[in-house]
Amino acid sequence: IYPKNEWNLLAWILIWARENISKEMENDFKNSWLTHLMAVSWFNITIIIVFLWFLFKFVPVYFRFWIITLFIIFFTLIVWDNVAVFRASIMWILAYFILVSGRKSDSLSLMLLTAVILVFFNPLYINYDVSFHLSFLAVLWLLYTKDFWEKIFFFLPKFFAIKESFVLTLSAMSTTLPIMVFNFWQISLLSPVSNMIVWWIIPISMMLWFLSIIWNIFSEKLWFILGFFWYFPLKFVNVVAWFFGNLNFSILTFDYQEYFLYLELAYFIILVFLIIYFQKKA
């Protein structure tokens, strides 16, 4: 029932199926810096948690934790052959447990233990897996800087969990941005705008299609009718990616060549000192 681009976008979001994505569409998402929203990995888990945190705000924290955990497990099972999702799911469930339990003093130890276990099974994660770096940094920095960003953006409204959603997203992206620049050698100056416009649509599309799996069992007609209306959010994302992806003046490219590893190493050293700083603050 969907045109080609919208169906391909949905397959890209849900199960990382990019075989039928056109080169033009892929470049639009790359230039607008929206590709990470579609990549089935750490950022998908991030926006799922943020969205469900808002959606089940009225539910007690303990039950909300189990609802979100079950949803993440369900999502992981759908894309089971994606190692990045499996790894990101483990790290995010652990991080979310630390947040709701208030055991921040143990957070670094638990995260390092998780990283050690993952690296034990595949030592190449350390040097060659950017997704592993992004997952670990996003989770770790969320735990240490959430309070910091909350103080800076104290003026944001709390209704509809606007403040929480913004702070969680900003915390996760604050340390991953340099890693993405170092590895992809490109950044869009308008990426904060494009991300803010569409990021909330992605988890909605995920949730609706997860529910459609259940609805399709009972009524294919209901699935068809509802699926027709779900076309519009996907079309909106494609239009935004096309618009920002073709604003060439906002795209900056870099060429680090042989300095790439040195820059990334220096960045990680700086992060170590920042973690020590925030630990003392806590």
Side-chain angles (χ1 to χ4, degrees):
I1 63 173
Y2 282 1
K4 180 180 178 181
N5 284 343
E6 281 63 48
W7 168 245
N8 286 333
L9 175 60
L10 184 61
W12 191 4
I13 294 172
L14 286 181
I15 56 176
W16 194 233
R18 299 186 298 168
E19 297 83 8
N20 299 318
I21 299 292
S22 66
K23 192 65 177 178
E24 293 77 12
M25 182 177 173
E26 189 173 356
N27 286 334
D28 288 343
F29 278 89
K30 178 183 177 181
N31 293 336
S32 59
W33 258 54
L34 293 175
T35 304
H36 64 280
L37 291 178
M38 314 306 150
V40 183
S41 60
W42 68 277
F43 203 78
N44 289 75
I45 306 299
T46 304
I47 57 181
I48 286 174
I49 289 178
V50 171
F51 180 72
L52 293 178
W53 190 321
F54 155 70
L55 190 65
F56 295 103
K57 183 71 176 178
F58 61 93
V59 178
V61 174
Y62 179 78
F63 292 105
R64 194 191 318 165
F65 167 76
W66 286 110
I67 292 173
I68 292 177
T69 299
L70 290 174
F71 198 91
I72 292 175
I73 292 173
F74 180 49
F75 175 70
T76 305
L77 291 174
I78 290 179
V79 290
W80 180 250
D81 61 339
N82 191 313
V83 178
V85 174
F86 180 68
R87 183 177 59 243
S89 299
I90 293 175
M91 300 187 78
W92 266 119
I93 290 174
L94 177 61
Y96 189 59
F97 172 75
I98 294 172
L99 280 176
V100 299
S101 65
R103 301 175 59 184
K104 291 187 178 180
S105 59
D106 299 329
S107 59
L108 183 59
S109 300
L110 288 172
M111 294 309 301
L112 289 176
L113 176 62
T114 306
V116 168
I117 294 173
L118 291 171
V119 170
F120 176 79
F121 285 103
N122 190 348
L124 296 180
Y125 283 161
I126 294 180
N127 214 30
Y128 298 102
D129 196 327
V130 179
S131 179
F132 173 73
H133 299 164
L134 293 174
S135 299
F136 186 78
L137 289 175
V139 171
L140 190 64
W141 213 240
L142 171 86
L143 298 175
Y144 278 103
T145 65
K146 180 175 177 289
D147 295 337
F148 171 77
W149 290 115
E150 281 182 343
K151 292 177 181 178
I152 293 180
F153 295 98
F154 65 91
F155 54 87
L156 290 178
K158 293 185 177 180
F159 60 87
F160 295 122
I162 293 177
K163 182 178 179 180
E164 284 182 310
S165 300
F166 185 82
V167 167
L168 285 173
T169 306
L170 188 60
S171 298
M173 292 192 67
S174 58
T175 49
T176 57
L177 182 61
I179 298 298
M180 288 190 284
V181 172
F182 292 156
N183 284 275
F184 307 130
W185 296 15
Q186 177 177 297
I187 186 173
S188 169
L189 296 177
L190 296 177
S191 59
V193 180
S194 61
N195 278 263
M196 191 172 295
I197 291 175
V198 305
W199 79 270
W200 57 275
I201 297 179
I202 308 303
I204 291 177
S205 299
M206 287 181 183
M207 175 169 285
L208 291 176
W209 273 93
F210 290 157
L211 293 175
S212 76
I213 295 173
I214 300 174
W215 289 335
N216 187 55
I217 297 175
F218 300 101
S219 174
E220 291 187 6
K221 292 182 179 179
L222 177 62
W223 171 84
F224 184 89
I225 294 172
L226 294 176
F228 176 79
F229 290 102
W230 297 339
Y231 155 79
F232 297 103
L234 297 171
K235 180 65 176 179
F236 178 74
V237 173
N238 274 332
V239 170
V240 171
W242 170 83
F243 177 76
F244 285 95
N246 286 277
L247 298 177
N248 295 327
F249 68 88
S250 67
I251 302 171
L252 298 180
T253 56
F254 307 89
D255 187 359
Y256 300 108
Q257 296 182 0
E258 69 271 16
Y259 301 108
F260 156 69
L261 290 177
Y262 299 108
L263 288 171
E264 193 165 80
L265 179 60
Y267 178 63
F268 281 124
I269 292 173
I270 293 172
L271 286 182
V272 170
F273 284 100
L274 287 175
I275 290 174
I276 294 173
Y277 170 79
F278 279 107
Q279 267 194 317
K280 291 181 177 180
K281 284 286 186 180

